[in-house]
């Protein structure tokens, strides 16, 4: 019998996370620099990669891409490009 998807990771997730209302320490708030979905529909030079994304994230981008008549992969790429550009 084949292991469940993600079965390999189960051994690392034995402990439960306990959340509290305690202060979390020195927190830095940054401005929202992420582009809107319509700004993600631009063309750039690309490199092919393989990545596993959550179903919810992919469905969000697919729905947004339909609204702007573009491909959801391009929107995800632009989002990552904007994030990387603001990390200096």
């Amino acid at each position: 019998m084949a292991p469940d998807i993600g079965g390999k990771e189960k051994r690392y997730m034995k402990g439960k996370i306990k959340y509290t209302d305690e202060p979390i320490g020195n927190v830095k708030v940054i401005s929202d620099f992420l582009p809107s979905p319509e700004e993600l529909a631009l063309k750039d030079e690309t490199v092919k990669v393989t990545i596993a994304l959550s179903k919810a994230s992919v469905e969000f981008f697919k729905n947004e891409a339909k609204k702007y008549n573009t491909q959801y992969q391009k929107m995800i790429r632009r989002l990552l490009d904007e994030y990387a550009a603001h990390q200096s």
Side-chain angles (χ1 to χ4, degrees):
M1 179 174 179
D4 291 337
I5 294 174
K8 184 175 166 183
E9 286 79 20
K10 286 183 183 178
R11 66 178 180 202
Y12 298 109
M13 303 191 63
K14 289 184 180 180
K16 289 188 176 184
I17 297 173
K18 295 179 184 178
Y19 295 97
T20 66
D21 290 331
E22 296 176 18
I24 56 174
N26 189 13
V27 178
K28 179 182 177 186
V29 178
I30 59 171
S31 62
D32 183 9
F33 59 83
L34 296 178
S36 64
E38 61 267 17
E39 293 174 304
L40 298 175
L42 302 174
K43 294 185 177 185
D44 285 329
E45 181 180 7
T46 63
V47 176
K48 292 196 180 260
V49 298
T50 302
I51 185 171
L53 302 173
S54 70
K55 183 176 180 177
S57 294
V58 173
E59 289 302 319
F60 169 81
F61 282 101
K62 283 183 176 182
N63 290 331
E64 291 299 314
K66 285 180 187 176
K67 291 179 189 178
Y68 299 100
N69 195 31
T70 189
Q71 297 176 349
Y72 72 94
Q73 297 96 329
K74 289 181 181 180
M75 295 178 76
I76 294 170
R77 181 173 54 248
R78 290 283 301 144
L79 178 69
L80 293 173
D81 290 344
E82 287 291 328
Y83 178 83
H86 286 84
Q87 296 305 307
S88 54

